[in-house]
Amino acid sequence: MDFTPTEEQEAARELAGRIFADLATHERLRAAGTGTDAELWKALCAAGLPGAVEETGLLGLVLLLEEQGRRTAQVPFAASCVYGILAVARHGTEEQRARLLPGLRDGTTVVTGALPAPGTVTAGPGGLDGTVDWVPWLRDAGHVLVPDEDRVLWLVRTEDAAAVEAVELTAPWAAARLVLDGTPGERLGGSGAHDDVLAAARIAFAGLQAGVCAGSLARAVEHTSVREQFGRPLSTRQAVQLRAADAHMDTEAIRVTAYEAAWRFDEGLDAAGAALTAAWWASEAGRRVVHAGQHLHGGTGADLDHPVHRHFLWGRQLDAYLGCGTELLAELGDRLAKGDPS
């Protein structure tokens, strides 16, 4: 395994870091509310970063999402790349790739995913029927990738849905309830497409969580270095140092497991077990890190308007997205019980 970024991956990460640093400021994030920061999304697409994922692979996407997570930037980058660009590029027909990928690359088409949605959607001759209680970024998406009860993937235009009802999540993502009633959809990929896309999503959102945790910890380090108690910075206290050190190790565990899973995915190896491992670390360790970041800010961390609170909200939302730690651990146990060598 070699996680050293290629020249192209490193260039893309540096460019993304600059764009997020310039545009994903606290003031702009407050103004964006639960919607997409249109100017930021336009800048990312103008720089060619969504389209670059086809070349840099899932590991390249993980690196970009780390930069997004550091700033909790309000754009559907992960969703559109995983459920759109990578899904269509890997599982779409030649006609689907030619029709859909240009819009996905330049950002004029945004895709999100109604995953996981076990047993909530059925497919019949008359179309798709069922309800998915919440889908992140659905209010900003032109298409949504929907699995049916047989784990077949369908690409649905949101304008064709029976209803898209706004819901509010813990994190400020533009989520909505998806209601399907005889809704038309086009099939994407074969029998293995669902598991492949779900694994990619778990890896990508683990990378996003690594960035969220790194940003939370960086804010905590900055705060404790300047905040004094009894004439000494809080950072000189052993208890503070140990709490920060634990958070750092947890963040590194999320990062390295996400890197390994993404590398396996890009190399064409079985990445399902590695994806579950990365997702478990993102859930369990991610929750610990954002709580530590909040606590290390003391009373300031209780301020709902403070930037660290956004990291807390994002970390808790990502903790539960695509399966919380207990669910993921049970799924990993099932794979071990079946003798899965991965």
Side-chain angles (χ1 to χ4, degrees):
M1 292 179 289
D2 184 4
F3 303 150
T4 304
T6 64
E7 186 175 331
E8 292 79 9
Q9 289 171 337
E10 189 61 41
R13 176 166 64 177
E14 291 178 0
L15 177 57
R18 290 198 298 271
I19 294 174
F20 286 129
D22 290 342
L23 295 180
T25 62
H26 181 53
E27 293 72 24
R28 290 180 60 87
L29 291 170
R30 289 179 59 190
T34 60
T36 294
D37 185 333
E39 184 179 344
L40 174 55
W41 181 242
K42 183 178 179 180
L44 292 168
C45 295
L49 291 174
V53 172
E54 287 183 87
E55 300 297 327
T56 60
L58 185 55
L59 181 55
L61 176 59
V62 165
L63 296 174
L64 298 180
L65 293 176
E66 275 193 84
E67 299 303 321
Q68 179 187 0
R70 290 179 199 275
R71 304 284 176 172
T72 58
Q74 197 71 7
V75 286
F77 200 0
S80 199
C81 286
V82 170
Y83 302 125
I85 290 176
L86 289 180
V88 173
R90 287 173 66 88
H91 301 290
T93 64
E94 185 175 344
E95 185 276 332
Q96 286 174 323
R97 292 195 297 270
R99 172 166 48 89
L100 296 170
L101 283 176
L104 290 167
R105 293 179 186 125
D106 64 21
T108 55
T109 299
V110 173
V111 177
T112 189
L115 279 76
T120 60
V121 175
T122 59
L128 301 172
D129 296 285
T131 300
V132 183
D133 288 333
W134 66 274
V135 181
W137 300 110
L138 184 58
R139 283 179 270 168
D140 294 321
H143 294 76
V144 55
L145 196 61
V146 181
D148 66 21
E149 60 182 354
D150 296 319
R151 300 165 74 90
V152 174
L153 293 179
W154 302 88
L155 195 60
V156 175
R157 295 191 306 172
T158 52
E159 65 182 28
D160 293 333
V164 173
E165 304 165 349
V167 296
E168 299 303 327
L169 305 180
T170 306
W173 300 339
R177 179 179 296 105
L178 178 68
V179 181
L180 305 174
D181 185 7
T183 303
E186 57 177 314
R187 180 166 177 169
L188 186 71
S191 59
H194 175 277
D195 291 348
D196 185 78
V197 172
L198 180 57
R202 282 171 166 163
I203 296 165
F205 282 97
L208 183 60
Q209 182 76 304
V212 170
C213 291
S216 174
L217 182 58
R219 292 188 183 280
V221 169
E222 180 182 9
H223 175 79
T224 56
S225 296
V226 298
R227 175 71 170 171
E228 292 190 356
Q229 186 181 64
F230 304 116
R232 294 169 53 191
L234 287 172
S235 59
T236 63
R237 308 292 177 178
Q238 187 179 49
V240 172
Q241 294 172 354
L242 292 174
R243 191 75 187 275
D246 286 342
H248 171 73
M249 294 305 297
D250 272 338
T251 301
E252 289 302 301
I254 300 170
R255 178 181 289 116
V256 74
T257 52
Y259 284 8
E260 179 188 2
W263 175 83
R264 292 185 64 86
F265 188 90
D266 289 339
E267 292 295 313
L269 303 172
D270 182 7
L276 283 167
T277 302
W280 182 85
W281 275 103
S283 175
E284 293 289 306
R287 184 174 65 252
R288 291 195 296 265
V289 173
V290 295
H291 273 269
Q294 190 98 335
H295 291 164
L296 288 173
H297 277 76
T300 305
D303 182 358
L304 302 183
D305 195 45
H306 195 281
V308 77
H309 191 65
R310 289 183 61 87
H311 291 273
F312 176 77
L313 294 179
W314 276 57
R316 289 310 310 260
Q317 191 69 53
L318 289 169
D319 161 32
Y321 185 49
L322 299 179
C324 67
T326 304
E327 294 172 317
L328 296 165
L329 201 59
E331 197 171 335
L332 268 171
D334 289 341
R335 293 179 67 87
L336 290 171
K338 293 175 182 177
D340 188 338
S342 66

